[in-house]
Amino acid sequence: MSTPTIPSTQKAYKWSQFTGIENLVLHSNEKIEKPQRKQVLVRLHAASLNYRDYLVATGTYLAPCSAGLIPLSDGAGEIVQVGQDVTQFKVGDRVAGTFFENWQDGEVNDHAISRSLGGGSVPGVLQQYRVFEEDGLVKIPNYLTYEQASTLPCAALTAWVALVENGLDKVGPNSTVLIIGTGGVSLFGLQFAISAGAKTIVLSSSDEKLEKAKALGATHLVNYRKHPDWHVQVKELTNGRGVDHVVEVGGDGTLFRSLNSVRKGGHVHMIGVLSKAQDHNNLAGVLLSNLINLKGIFVGSRGSFERMNRAFEQHAIQPVIDSVFEFEKAKEALEYLASGKHFGKIVIKID
Ligand SMILES: NC(=O)c1ccc[n+]([C@@H]2O[C@H](COP(=O)([O-])OP(=O)(O)OC[C@H]3O[C@@H](n4cnc5c(N)ncnc54)[C@H](OP(=O)(O)O)[C@@H]3O)[C@@H](O)[C@H]2O)c1
């Protein structure tokens, strides 16, 4: 393969401050770094948005961020240059970055989750070229386009760790999985549950989105606006037993209902922070009287990403992409995310 020509400068977005999407600024003369020992240079072709990017934009993300931060954690592209002593990759490999730079595999610890792309002061992927540690990349499944592969690092991996790698009670044909919402994490959760043969119950604010979930293979549908006490419907749909797993992206405002939707000894995978607390003060009582396994999830390791990619290859799962925006329209893409109109993932093309 001939060596690609690498320009000396590139376009990159940066946050000037964190009080809203209007602070996203496109810079067109940014230096392209050279890969050092054990590093590679990736030409990024696509990036995808997560709700986290909206939290970063509005200064409400859990870690404080530094002005000048390059946004977004999730991107895919091709390796165009390798540094000294790189052993895992070569020029031309199709790759995606890992959400956490330091979490290789196994149990989590403070170091593993100390650096995440597009947060704190760690540059993200909304730029044309980025230097990565070779340990901070995975090869992407062959059958996926760059746009599809850019949806995997955060949303897909979070759902994968929750439903496949987390805990003792694996999702299978005898399981029922409750999926809250129809955003990025939720639809990957739906697809993993379906590919394991499980029954699913999908909650959404929109009947139109529920119909789309049905087309993907969802078993039962509940509109949570029409049924604010949706745990009652969930119990009815499971003949009073409750579900085995909940993909809990709602947070404080949905946790009480999730705990009341799960069977005795079932699993609530605590992922999201989308809604505010409601006036329920018996969380502890419900949790212990139903012997519920409540587990926090924080994306996952590189090893989990590699195992997930093998499952993608095996099941040929097609990520659900709602819309693809041009690089120059990144602000519009973030505004669309904030509107909540999307079904699945929002992608930005980088060319
Ligand atoms: N812990 C982790 O590692 C991790 C990883 C990824 C994401 N997250 C978190 O998980 C959440 C989802 O992230 P995402 O990127 O998938 O977001 P997203 O693509 O924007 O999807 C959010 C969806 O959640 C649903 N929703 C919103 N408010 C709700 C409510 N009050 N009750 C029930 N459903 C509600 C909506 O579905 P409908 O439009 O169908 O109603 C919405 O489309 C966010 O809080 C994010 O920060 C955490």
Side-chain angles (χ1 to χ4, degrees), residues 49-52 55 61 99-100 154-155 158-159 180-187 202-206 209-210 224-225 230 248-251 253-254 270-276 278 296-300 337-338 340-346:
L49 301 186
N50 292 288
Y51 190 76
R52 181 241 202 187
L55 298 176
Y61 187 53
F99 183 89
F100 290 118
C154 177
T158 301
I180 300 182
T182 60
V185 174
S186 307
L187 290 190
V202 176
L203 302 182
S204 175
S205 56
S206 146
K209 290 183 180 182
L210 286 172
Y224 65 78
R225 290 238 194 283
W230 41 262
E248 177 32 282
V249 298
T254 53
M270 196 67 230
I271 293 168
V273 291
L274 289 164
S275 55
K276 298 254 180 305
Q278 295 176 0
I297 306 284
F298 205 1
V299 195
L337 176 83
K341 291 185 183 145
H342 54 292
F343 178 83
K345 296 296 296 178
I346 300 166

Side-chain angles (χ1 to χ4, degrees), residues 75-235:
E78 66 183 303
I79 294 183
V80 290
Q81 198 176 18
V82 297
Q84 260 187 337
D85 299 333
V86 166
T87 56
Q88 302 168 59
F89 299 99
K90 61 182 186 319
V91 169
D93 282 349
R94 300 168 79 245
V95 292
T98 58
F99 183 89
F100 290 118
E101 267 188 351
N102 296 336
W103 192 1
Q104 288 302 300
D105 209 346
E107 284 293 308
V108 70
N109 56 43
D110 286 343
H111 174 70
I113 57 169
S114 60
R115 288 176 63 80
S116 60
L117 274 56
S121 58
V122 184
V125 297
L126 200 49
Q127 53 182 327
Q128 292 174 304
Y129 291 83
R130 187 188 188 281
V131 169
F132 288 81
E133 302 298 325
E134 69 166 334
D135 285 344
L137 289 173
V138 297
K139 288 190 183 143
I140 57 177
N142 284 330
Y143 75 99
L144 293 179
T145 64
Y146 287 119
E147 288 168 17
Q148 291 174 317
S150 76
T151 67
L152 305 185
C154 177
L157 186 56
T158 301
W160 168 265
V161 169
L163 291 181
V164 183
E165 294 203 353
N166 176 27
L168 312 162
D169 180 17
K170 290 270 163 22
V171 175
N174 296 323
S175 320
T176 304
V177 180
L178 174 62
I179 304 287
I180 300 182
T182 60
V185 174
S186 307
L187 290 190
F188 279 117
L190 176 65
Q191 290 177 302
F192 292 139
I194 291 171
S195 63
K199 290 191 202 60
T200 53
I201 302 174
V202 176
L203 302 182
S204 175
S205 56
S206 146
D207 288 342
E208 201 186 326
K209 290 183 180 182
L210 286 172
E211 282 310 311
K212 289 186 186 172
K214 192 175 176 185
L216 287 175
T219 322
H220 301 291
L221 314 168
V222 178
N223 185 316
Y224 65 78
R225 290 238 194 283
K226 291 182 186 166
H227 300 283
D229 281 333
W230 41 262
H231 56 289
V232 176
Q233 269 70 32
V234 172
K235 275 286 172 76

